[in-house]
């Protein structure tokens, strides 16, 4: 791991103190590559695998450049979900501690009057969902004339047809010399081209899996019929002390699955986009606190989440694309820690899983559940029966 001295030497004392307090050994590849470019004021399009420290890669230089003498927003961080906004906001609070920098969060669905009260406190860093940020701009409550940097976190989720006009309209409210940053774990060619079209002379930073922090994540799978998936999930949850995030496509199925698991003695929280803000916050808070071992979630709700101590990611409903598989799986084994990714697949889905893993150069192994444990195969093919037959003949 590279030494952190050159990386930190240009940083303000409060950031150096926070780094020491965090106990990091050294910066990651994405932090080393992107931080100097951001400090120089350049536009950056960055791609780096999940769990490699992308948030700090933009957050540290962003906080470094905040001018305390200006009591208005200077940086806006946009994220695709409420949960990710709150996670980034908490990180911003943590790293801005002792600096005098005031951050504030703004999410759709929250009481707008309370959010207007937050703006009266003159925050310098805004973290928000794009829809709510644009709404506050249109109400002329969020002034953008002093904004020097706009960050698009999970940028591949923001530059999609349903959000891109909102993003462009937010950017239009700033001066031409502002800086644009886009960070994502996956950057399809069309998203990269869209980002280039929005940005002027952007620097492209890419960190591949081999240069990223070495992952200790094991990828395994179980094969069963679709109707058996709930029972397989129940048995997996009984194999040990798990802290697992399980992905389900359909919100209706998610609620049914939670009820069935509860009935079978497996308490689970649920996280999806149609739940109330308070319900989502409670579900995440309780899961993080260990009040239940399983959180059932849809992709939108769990995108970009960083949950400390997450031991397993479970694909109950198989992902639709390699990108989805990568983003889901990246919730465990972050920054070099260990984890297990489990796919519960039908025979047809098994082929797609193997294809995805080949594309990602990830070894994946088929397992079975035997006597309450995860194993490669049942011990011996009916060895005891063959012994009985041998004895009878003698």
């Amino acid at each position: 791991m590279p030494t952190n001295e050159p990386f930190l030497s240009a940083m303000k004392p409060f950031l150096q103190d926070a780094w020491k307090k965090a106990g990091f050994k050294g910066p990651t590849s994405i932090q080393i590559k992107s931080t100097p470019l951001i400090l120089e004021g350049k536009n950056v399009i960055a791609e780096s695998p999940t769990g490699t420290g992308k948030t700090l890669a933009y957050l540290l230089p962003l906080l470094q450049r905040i001018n305390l003498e200006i009591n208005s927003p200077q940086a806006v961080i946009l994220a695709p979900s409420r949960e990710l906004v709150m996670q980034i906001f908490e990180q911003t609070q943590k790293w801005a501690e002792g600096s005098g920098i005031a951050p504030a969060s703004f999410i759709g669905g929250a009481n707008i009057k309370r959010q207007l009260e937050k703006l009266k406190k003159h925050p310098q860093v805004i973290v928000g969902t794009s829809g709510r940020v644009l709404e506050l701009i249109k109400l002329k409550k969020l002034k953008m004339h002093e904004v020097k940097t706009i960050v698009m976190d999970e940028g591949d989720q923001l530059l999609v047809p349903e959000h891109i006009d909102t993003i462009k309209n937010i950017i239009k409210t700033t001066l031409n010399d502002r800086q644009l940053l886009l960070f994502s774990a996956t950057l399809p060619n069309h998203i990269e081209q869209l980002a280039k079209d929005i940005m002027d002379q952007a620097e492209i930073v890419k960190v591949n899996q081999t240069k990223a922090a070495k992952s200790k994540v094991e990828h395994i799978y179980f094969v069963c019929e679709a109707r058996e998936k709930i029972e397989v999930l129940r048995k997996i949850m009984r194999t040990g002390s798990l802290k697992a995030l399980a992905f389900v496509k359909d919100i209706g199925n998610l609620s049914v699955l939670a009820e069935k698991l509860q009935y079978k003695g497996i308490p689970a929280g649920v996280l999806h986009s149609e739940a109330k803000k308070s319900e989502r916050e409670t579900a995440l808070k309780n899961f993080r606190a260990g009040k239940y071992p399983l959180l059932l979630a849809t992709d939108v709700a769990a995108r970009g989440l960083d949950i400390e101590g997450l031991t397993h990611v479970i694909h109950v409903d198989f992902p639709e694309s390699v990108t989805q598989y990568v983003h889901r799986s990246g919730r465990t084994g972050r920054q070099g820690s260990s984890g297990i990714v489990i796919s519960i697949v039908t025979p047809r889905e098994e082929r797609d899983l193997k294809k995805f893993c080949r594309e990602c150069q990830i070894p994946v192994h088929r397992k079975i559940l035997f006597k309450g444990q995860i194993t490669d195969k049942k011990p011996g093919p009916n060895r005891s029966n063959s012994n009985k037959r041998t004895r009878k003949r003698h």
Side-chain angles (χ1 to χ4, degrees):
M1 179 69 74
T3 174
N4 62 28
E5 287 310 313
F7 175 80
L8 282 179
S9 58
M11 296 291 177
K12 290 177 179 173
F14 77 91
L15 290 171
Q16 296 193 35
D17 290 344
W19 185 275
K20 285 169 192 162
K21 195 174 172 183
F24 293 143
K25 292 177 184 173
T28 63
S29 295
I30 189 63
Q31 291 162 2
I32 292 165
K33 286 185 173 187
S34 59
T35 297
L37 298 172
I38 298 170
L39 287 172
E40 287 169 30
K42 294 187 175 178
N43 294 334
V44 174
I45 298 169
E47 179 186 39
S48 185
T50 52
T52 53
K54 289 188 294 298
T55 304
L56 288 189
Y58 66 74
L59 187 58
L60 298 191
L62 183 150
L63 292 173
Q64 169 79 7
R65 298 179 72 207
I66 295 294
N67 183 348
L68 284 173
E69 292 178 10
I70 300 172
N71 288 323
S72 58
Q74 296 167 51
V76 173
I77 303 168
L78 303 171
S81 72
R82 300 173 192 175
E83 286 72 28
L84 189 52
V85 165
M86 295 316 297
Q87 184 174 288
I88 296 165
F89 174 65
E90 284 164 14
Q91 285 292 303
T92 307
Q93 283 182 309
K94 175 183 168 183
W95 288 86
E97 190 179 345
S99 67
I101 295 170
S105 63
F106 299 91
I107 56 178
N111 185 305
I112 199 158
K113 286 183 181 176
R114 284 186 200 155
Q115 296 194 338
L116 294 176
E117 288 300 314
K118 288 184 190 178
L119 286 171
K120 289 177 183 175
K121 295 176 182 175
H122 308 293
Q124 288 129 332
V125 179
I126 301 292
V127 189
T129 51
S130 55
R132 179 48 58 96
V133 167
L134 184 59
E135 188 180 354
L136 292 169
I137 293 168
K138 285 181 175 177
L139 289 170
K140 296 186 166 46
K141 300 298 181 183
L142 176 54
K143 309 282 196 267
M144 299 289 280
H145 61 283
E146 292 285 2
V147 170
K148 298 289 187 283
T149 306
I150 292 179
V151 182
M152 291 164 271
D153 198 330
E154 297 286 340
D156 63 326
Q157 289 282 290
L158 292 173
L159 299 189
V160 292
E162 58 263 41
H163 296 309
I164 192 159
D165 287 341
T166 304
I167 300 296
K168 284 180 177 177
N169 286 330
I170 291 170
I171 291 169
K172 278 178 194 171
T173 63
T174 57
L175 300 176
N176 287 336
D177 63 348
R178 47 82 190 103
Q179 177 185 44
L180 296 175
L181 310 174
L182 182 143
F183 279 75
S184 183
T186 52
L187 205 55
N189 291 336
H190 71 285
I191 296 291
E192 187 176 325
Q193 189 54 55
L194 273 173
K196 286 176 182 174
D197 293 343
I198 291 171
M199 299 185 194
D200 183 36
Q201 296 179 323
E203 298 280 342
I204 311 293
V205 177
K206 294 195 178 187
V207 173
N208 59 35
Q209 194 69 51
T210 54
K211 288 182 182 174
K214 287 261 182 191
S215 177
K216 299 171 190 167
V217 177
E218 184 185 3
H219 292 250
I220 64 174
Y221 70 97
F222 299 91
V223 180
C224 67
E225 295 304 319
R227 65 180 180 275
E228 297 169 340
K229 286 192 176 190
I230 294 178
E231 184 59 15
V232 172
L233 177 59
R234 183 192 71 79
K235 287 179 178 178
I236 288 167
M237 293 306 298
R238 292 284 191 211
T239 59
S241 182
L242 280 65
K243 187 172 187 176
L245 176 64
F247 285 94
V248 182
K249 282 180 193 170
D250 183 73
I251 291 171
N253 288 347
L254 186 147
S255 301
V256 170
L257 185 57
E259 285 173 15
K260 286 184 177 178
L261 287 168
Q262 186 79 41
Y263 179 73
K264 291 174 183 286
I266 308 285
V270 294
L271 190 68
H272 60 80
S273 55
E274 290 180 13
K276 291 177 185 172
K277 173 178 169 277
S278 58
E279 291 171 344
R280 290 164 73 160
E281 285 176 358
T282 302
L284 258 180
K285 184 181 175 183
N286 288 343
F287 181 59
R288 284 193 161 116
K291 291 193 176 176
Y292 35 73
L294 178 66
L295 182 66
L296 299 165
T298 56
D299 287 276
V300 174
R303 182 66 181 257
L305 284 185
D306 190 359
I307 297 165
E308 193 175 336
L310 190 74
T311 61
H312 292 68
V313 163
I314 304 172
H315 304 283
V316 179
D317 287 331
F318 194 67
E320 292 173 3
S321 64
V322 176
T323 300
Q324 204 174 45
Y325 183 83
V326 168
H327 277 284
R328 286 178 174 188
S329 301
R331 298 309 104 219
T332 189
R334 297 176 74 78
Q335 299 206 44
S337 61
S338 59
I340 297 174
V341 174
I342 300 175
S343 298
I344 307 173
V345 296
T346 62
R348 185 174 179 176
E349 290 168 341
E350 181 184 10
R351 293 196 294 274
D352 292 328
L353 172 65
K354 287 179 176 177
K355 181 170 168 275
F356 287 1
C357 289
R358 273 198 306 275
E359 284 182 38
C360 299
Q361 298 180 319
I362 296 168
V364 63
H365 304 287
R366 181 171 177 171
K367 302 282 183 179
I368 65 163
L369 287 152
F370 183 71
K371 292 187 177 178
Q373 295 300 314
I374 294 171
T375 183
D376 289 321
K377 57 183 178 180
K378 291 179 187 176
N382 296 325
R383 203 168 288 161
S384 57
N385 290 340
S386 63
N387 287 343
K388 283 176 189 173
R389 284 197 297 271
T390 306
R391 281 197 297 271
K392 278 180 183 176
R393 280 201 297 269
H394 289 293

